[in-house]
Amino acid sequence: MSEVEVAHSERVHHGLEELAHERDYVAGLYARLDELREEKLQQLASVRRDGSVGSHQNRSERDAFASLYEDRLAQLNGVDDRLVFGRLDLDSGEQRYIGRIGLSTDDLRQLMVDWRAPEAGTFYQATAFERLGVRRRRHLILSGREVKAIEDEVLDAELLVEGHEHQGEGALLAALNAKRTGRMADIVGTIQAEQDRIVRAPLSGALVVQGGPGTGKTAVALHRAAYLLYTHRQRLGSAGVLLVGPSSSFMNYIERVLPSLGETGVVMSSLGRLYPGIRATARESARTAEVKGRAVMAEVVAAAVANRQRVPAADRVLEIEGHRLVLTPRQVRRARDKARATGKPHNEARLTFVKILLRELTERLTEEVLESAGGNTADRSYLAEEVRSARDVRVALNLAWMPMTPEKLLTELFAKPALLEAAAPQLSEAERELLYRDPESGWTEADVPLLDEAAELLGELDGGKASEAAAREASRRRDLDNAEHALENMHQSMADAGVDGMLTAEDLAAFNAAGEERLNPAERAVTDRNWAFGHVVVDEAQELSAMQWRLLTRRCPVKSFTIVGDIAQTSSEAGAHSWAQALEPDFADRWSLEELTVNYRTPSQIAEAAVRVANAAGRDISAPKAVREGEWPPVVDEVSDSTEGVLAAVPEELRILDGGLLAIIAAPQRVAGLTAALRAVYGARVGHGAGSLEQDIVVIDAREAKGLEFDGVILVEPLELSRGDRVGDLYVAMTRPTQRLRLITSEGVPAGL
């Protein structure tokens, strides 16, 4: 056997030994995970058996422990798949395993470091030029619980001399080439240095992450949310983190990522669901949405509220138990001005308005009764109730200052031309015409910020809510006192569990805020419009209107944001053409910009074609550099009937993708017809949104496809997606595939191809 053959044989043998070692160690980590899971199940069962008897403090402690165990079980279940993904060999001789959560033995010996911990940062940051004490970085490539391969990056040249080298396919390329499943996968094991720098950026202020298609913007945003919750648990654990995405399909696509990263407490919502009790699913024209999204609509809503505080044009005679009293415009105006001067919202200020006029009317009625009774000074206190309950009085006060809900205010504003003209003189007649609608119409996504604006100006319908809030706060403080008492025991319990983490008295008290129905901060925030989040993550942020930004900054008054998007992909008429335009009205100069420069998703042939098309249409786009070339350039089929063309192309695409996910992207008006045609052939395999293991063919419009990715894309009638100012839709659609792009056209080929 030659020296080369001997060396090769030794490397193979060494590689097998290393693989066996890692399999043993990973099996031990899973054994510890299973042990902790079983322990938490037993502890939870024990707490539930105790029931809710005993003192308030005892019940609070039991509820807190039950919620703690439930959260830990959710965390332990969420990280089961590919629990560990890396190992660092350090100059000190230590071997440090990096995984989704931290794990320790009963005697607190560390088995695995949470990827978010400071000591795990070198896994992503170390290079051969700046080793940071790392000799070798090892990627563990798992399928489920089994180590399939290991991939070494040797940073210390001495190890190469010693022969310590083991190379595999490459963790990053393996992840990039994996078939899509209809659900986004985390990138925790393959985060690159420029991504890691953004993930670990400071919490305060607004951080804008600009990046072209395929640069991992969404993945970075999700990993940053998990990192911030881990690093700033005391601040964010009780206030929570809000993550906002562009569509329900997108939210379904990403919903499993955060649990896989060890976090279950993030509120995830599309823009159409950010107003409690409203699911905005109705459609409207892009032009109407653009008008509703303008900043001036805040003035329109404010005027609509103010116009509901009316002064009558003439005196009004009120009949009260046989007496006739006159309510003058001067009286109403004076009461209105005093109520407005309180600075309270409409419904709350109305209490002041009503109180003033009831008092004046009661005084006037008392004078008349005394005059008619010849000065008899008998008790007349009952007169106040007669004034308050008199029908004429109620009608007059409601006509002058009607209590309103946001829904009623906007429904009437958009249904009655006279009301809209009075509230929106700054809009043209054509623009107001766009806003008119049937009062039975459903709410749209663009209505949500207007509802929120109205809710802010109107306030609660009665004063009872304020007292309820005060009572809740007093209860929270009592629970906090109880939590302090239980905290020492709980911390010991967590340490004994071998799961790294921290808990504050505020966290513990929050578990009890909803009584027997224990809700964590994220769950409570969903139903509370006034909830103030500690941090907000916004994806596809370039699409947001001025009114949507107002809504989001109201949800986070400290304006701590991670803002993710690509100005070049703006397709909404209400969206932004620069980050300064979008952010300066609400953030002034309290924002900074980071840029992702590498395209990990889109093969270079497809990415370059998309840029050429966008540039030819007048969009100035500088494309991020693609890390791989891909096997196939874009394919163009010129056909006489695009639906028939799609049906002819799908079998070939499915064969080439070999189990991959195929998307047919078209203009909105074509989606229903294409879906029906494909279901006639492929049945239940055809779906919408991001797809799934069962539905490997999806039909979707370009805007709904924003943020998603597919193995292959068939783009139908591309010229329809680029008409007017909609070239952003075409650019988005062309950059969704990870492997193949096919264009079906009966109208011609876009310039640039």
Side-chain angles (χ1 to χ4, degrees), residues 10 40 57 253 293 303 330 335 393 465 477 501 524 536 542 635-636 698:
E10 289 177 350
K40 293 301 163 201
Q57 178 172 316
Y253 174 61
R330 182 172 178 273
V393 172
K465 297 294 184 180
R477 291 184 180 280
R524 297 206 312 277
V536 176
Q542 75 278 354
V635 176
V636 179
V698 298

Side-chain angles (χ1 to χ4, degrees), residues 339-361:
R340 285 179 172 177
T342 66
K344 295 179 179 179
H346 172 92
N347 291 325
E348 296 171 32
R350 181 181 182 274
L351 299 177
T352 300
F353 173 80
V354 169
K355 183 178 179 180
I356 291 171
L357 290 182
L358 287 179
R359 184 179 66 243
E360 291 184 4
L361 290 170

Side-chain angles (χ1 to χ4, degrees), residues 214-448:
T215 54
K217 299 183 299 296
T218 298
V220 167
L222 292 168
H223 289 69
R224 177 162 168 78
Y227 170 79
L228 291 176
L229 276 165
Y230 176 89
T231 306
H232 304 279
R233 184 76 65 186
Q234 188 166 4
R235 172 175 168 182
L236 299 181
S238 56
V241 171
L242 171 65
L243 191 151
V244 179
S247 66
S248 296
S249 295
F250 177 83
M251 303 315 290
N252 292 335
Y253 174 61
I254 67 172
E255 66 181 355
R256 298 180 186 175
V257 174
L258 282 164
S260 77
L261 297 174
E263 290 299 340
T264 57
V266 176
V267 177
M268 300 173 63
S269 176
S270 60
L271 287 162
R273 298 187 179 183
L274 278 179
Y275 187 85
I278 296 293
R279 297 185 66 173
T281 57
R283 296 290 186 122
E284 63 191 349
S285 73
R287 182 69 177 129
T288 299
E290 186 274 325
V291 174
K292 289 181 178 179
R294 295 178 189 174
V296 74
M297 288 303 296
E299 299 175 14
V300 172
V301 174
V305 173
N307 290 346
R308 293 310 184 104
Q309 301 161 7
R310 302 166 177 146
V311 176
D315 292 350
R316 185 180 181 93
V317 178
L318 309 178
E319 189 80 33
I320 306 174
E321 293 295 321
H323 295 272
R324 294 166 64 85
L325 301 182
V326 176
L327 182 65
T328 69
R330 182 172 178 273
Q331 284 178 289
V332 175
R333 182 179 294 105
R334 185 172 62 246
R336 183 196 66 180
D337 292 346
K338 288 182 178 179
R340 285 179 172 177
T342 66
K344 295 179 179 179
H346 172 92
N347 291 325
E348 296 171 32
R350 181 181 182 274
L351 299 177
T352 300
F353 173 80
V354 169
K355 183 178 179 180
I356 291 171
L357 290 182
L358 287 179
R359 184 179 66 243
E360 291 184 4
L361 290 170
T362 300
E363 290 172 354
R364 181 65 186 131
L365 180 61
T366 301
E367 291 173 3
E368 288 202 6
V369 170
L370 285 173
E371 288 175 8
S372 63
N376 187 331
T377 58
D379 180 27
R380 309 294 183 189
S381 59
Y382 67 91
L383 293 176
E385 176 59 26
E386 288 189 356
V387 170
R388 190 191 66 79
S389 60
R391 180 182 182 279
D392 279 6
V393 172
R394 294 200 309 272
V395 169
L397 296 184
N398 282 339
L399 286 174
W401 196 307
M402 176 73 77
M404 298 288 291
T405 65
E407 293 87 340
K408 181 177 176 62
L409 180 81
L410 288 186
T411 296
E412 294 185 357
L413 179 66
F414 293 149
K416 298 179 178 180
L419 291 180
L420 186 56
E421 183 177 359
Q426 61 273 70
L427 297 182
S428 69
E429 185 176 348
E431 289 168 336
R432 291 196 296 270
E433 185 70 32
L434 289 169
L435 299 180
Y436 297 146
R437 69 175 191 183
D438 188 316
E440 299 301 318
S441 299
W443 298 108
T444 69
E445 187 178 276
D447 289 325
V448 169

Side-chain angles (χ1 to χ4, degrees), residues 19-35:
L19 185 60
H21 168 76
E22 299 299 2
R23 285 174 172 167
D24 287 343
Y25 193 90
V26 170
L29 292 175
Y30 274 109
R32 179 58 175 157
L33 184 72
D34 292 339
E35 181 182 327

Side-chain angles (χ1 to χ4, degrees), residues 63 65 89 120 141 208 237 279 305 371 394 402 446 450 613 738:
D63 286 351
F65 274 107
D89 294 355
I141 301 171
V208 178
R279 297 185 66 173
V305 173
E371 288 175 8
R394 294 200 309 272
M402 176 73 77
L450 304 183
V613 168
T738 65

Side-chain angles (χ1 to χ4, degrees), residues 115-116 187 191 195-209 216-232 236 241 243 257-258 261 263 266 535-538 559-564 592 594:
W115 69 274
R116 297 166 289 185
I187 61 167
I191 294 174
Q195 297 172 325
D196 183 70
R197 185 184 69 255
I198 295 170
V199 167
R200 297 174 189 266
L203 172 64
S204 61
L207 175 66
V208 178
V209 184
K217 299 183 299 296
T218 298
V220 167
L222 292 168
H223 289 69
R224 177 162 168 78
Y227 170 79
L228 291 176
L229 276 165
Y230 176 89
T231 306
H232 304 279
L236 299 181
V241 171
L243 191 151
V257 174
L258 282 164
L261 297 174
E263 290 299 340
V266 176
H535 190 78
V536 176
V537 179
V538 189
K559 297 185 180 178
S560 176
F561 276 69
T562 299
I563 297 165
V564 179
S592 58
E594 292 278 359

Side-chain angles (χ1 to χ4, degrees), residues 474-491:
S475 176
R476 189 192 76 83
R477 291 184 180 280
R478 287 195 301 272
D479 286 343
L480 187 58
D481 291 338
N482 292 332
E484 295 282 5
H485 178 78
L487 198 55
E488 290 185 9
N489 291 335
M490 187 170 292
H491 277 154

